Amino acid sequence: MAPMGIRLSPLGVAVFCLLGVGVIYHLYAGVISSHLAAFRTRGKVDLRDLLAVSVEAAVLGGTEVKKVREENSLKEKSKGKTKEGANELLTMGDLQSHRKMFNLISNAFPEVTVSADPCRTVMSSIPHTVLLTHHLNAVKISLSLSLSLSLSLSLSLSIENLVKYVTTMVCVAVDGKPVIGVIHQPFTGFTAWAFVGQGSNMRPRQSYTVSPPKVIVSRSHSGTVKSYVQEAFGNGTTIIEAGGAGYKVLSLLEMPSSETGSMDQADVYIHVTFIKKWDICAGAALLKALGGHMTTLKGEDIDYSGTPVNKGGLVASVGVDHKALLEKLPNWDPEKH
């Protein structure tokens, strides 16, 4: 009740209430806005941030691989056999690298559910909106995004001390197409990365030879692929046997002068048997970002969703006429060899 002789004006009370609401809004607008912004952005992944974390994860995983190798504590065990009958081995370096890379990305992107294969590859399906940033325009696109962490390490490479072939890799594919690729060489410390359509720290070499080319192939079944390559390009073709899909892709590119002494240089990378998609995804992203190609032996694009195995073989190149290379290849069905 108002004091004796004093009447409260309804208009004045209304104005006072409005002023009070205004003061409260002014004090808490920042808090409310931040909560609204957080709600709006929930479930979005900025691929630039994902690239940065991917590079860090590959380097961190590589540190673990190198540490285990230097401590000579591989503690290897068999994961089974490849289609060619070679024993696939899982080492302590694989496991520790896997854990480090897995935990880093899971903690950096808690909204992403990551399912892990402790034998070799980490794959995740991210059914969220992905924030793709092109220059100054932010374009929100509803996509299915897959993330892979591939540890390219085997017992044979470690025991024989062929550490130059060892890589840790991270790949991001959107709708089955590779968009981010990271390949780290833990024993040199070099990291190659690419974001398709946005940039890369790599580039093609100034020149390539295709008559005949230097062809890099897998050392695990070199006899099979050698005859295939010689049939395609002639008996005088130089064939380089190497380990690790990541290393083979890097051999096609211009490496920093500090790294060239330890790297082979090839013009084409060919694989004629089954290969895991997440062993080649990061390399495919690098090549695509640089205008290159990685296809099946029949020239088909490789879909990095669905089944984890690429059964069509592969041809990888950059800086050359990829279609002309494909036309020289003999008919080959990897499923029958």
Side-chain angles (χ1 to χ4, degrees):
M1 180 181 292
M4 187 72 67
I6 299 177
R7 285 188 177 182
L8 295 177
S9 167
L11 178 62
V13 172
V15 170
F16 180 81
C17 289
L18 287 173
L19 286 172
V21 170
V23 170
I24 292 172
Y25 176 80
H26 178 74
L27 290 174
Y28 292 98
V31 175
I32 294 171
S33 297
S34 65
H35 282 288
L36 287 174
F39 177 80
R40 291 192 191 102
T41 58
R42 189 175 300 159
K44 295 174 185 173
V45 177
D46 189 324
L47 292 184
R48 295 171 303 174
D49 292 340
L50 189 50
L51 169 61
V53 174
S54 297
V55 170
E56 187 174 350
V59 172
L60 186 61
T63 299
E64 289 301 311
V65 170
K66 186 178 180 181
K67 178 182 177 183
V68 169
R69 171 66 267 181
E70 290 175 344
E71 292 176 353
N72 199 27
S73 55
L74 293 172
K75 299 180 182 178
E76 67 281 351
K77 60 181 179 180
S78 177
K79 297 184 291 184
K81 291 185 180 294
T82 65
K83 186 173 182 292
E84 296 76 40
N87 206 19
E88 279 199 296
L89 294 142
L90 175 68
T91 71
M92 186 58 68
D94 288 313
L95 291 171
Q96 291 184 192
S97 295
H98 167 274
R99 293 190 188 107
K100 294 285 186 178
M101 297 167 75
F102 174 88
N103 289 336
L104 175 59
I105 292 183
S106 295
N107 292 333
F109 297 96
E111 73 277 18
V112 174
T113 301
V114 181
S115 58
D117 172 5
C119 287
R120 191 180 186 96
T121 306
V122 181
M123 299 173 64
S124 67
S125 178
I126 309 173
H128 296 288
T129 299
V130 179
L131 183 62
L132 292 173
T133 304
H134 298 281
H135 305 298
L136 299 178
N137 300 317
V139 184
K140 298 173 186 176
I141 308 174
S142 185
L143 299 169
S144 173
L145 184 150
S146 296
L147 172 65
S148 134
L149 315 181
S150 180
L151 312 177
S152 181
L153 179 67
S154 72
L155 177 65
S156 61
L157 299 184
S158 300
I159 287 182
E160 296 175 46
N161 207 29
L162 300 176
V163 294
K164 73 175 185 178
Y165 299 143
V166 176
T167 60
T168 51
M169 298 183 286
V170 178
C171 179
V172 176
V174 175
D175 283 347
K177 298 178 177 63
V179 295
I180 288 175
V182 179
I183 301 177
H184 175 67
Q185 295 181 298
F187 292 92
T188 67
F190 178 73
T191 305
W193 62 266
F195 184 172
V196 176
Q198 301 296 306
S200 174
N201 68 334
M202 302 299 289
R203 63 184 180 185
R205 298 200 305 271
Q206 291 185 349
S207 63
Y208 294 86
T209 302
V210 292
S211 299
K214 288 183 179 180
V215 181
I216 194 163
V217 303
S218 174
R219 56 196 299 275
S220 63
H221 60 281
S222 57
T224 304
V225 73
K226 275 182 180 179
S227 59
Y228 179 82
V229 169
Q230 288 169 347
E231 184 178 350
F233 304 108
N235 292 333
T237 305
T238 300
I239 299 175
I240 303 168
E241 299 176 27
Y247 176 89
K248 295 185 190 77
V249 168
L250 293 182
S251 75
L252 304 178
L253 304 177
E254 180 73 41
M255 295 291 288
S257 56
S258 59
E259 308 296 328
T260 54
S262 62
M263 288 291 301
D264 292 295
Q265 284 195 340
D267 303 303
V268 183
Y269 166 25
I270 293 179
H271 190 89
V272 296
T273 58
F274 291 5
I275 190 168
K276 292 178 181 177
K277 291 178 181 178
W278 298 111
D279 282 344
I280 60 176
C281 182
L286 258 77
L287 293 175
K288 185 176 180 181
L290 300 174
H293 303 274
M294 182 182 286
T295 66
T296 66
L297 298 173
K298 295 180 179 179
E300 301 162 335
D301 289 333
I302 299 170
D303 185 344
Y304 290 88
S305 60
T307 173
V309 177
N310 169 48
K311 298 181 178 180
L314 72 83
V315 183
S317 71
V318 63
V320 301
D321 187 336
H322 192 77
K323 184 178 179 181
L325 282 175
L326 292 169
E327 290 173 351
K328 293 182 178 181
L329 300 180
N331 292 329
W332 180 272
D333 187 350
E335 295 200 52
K336 295 180 179 178
H337 293 82

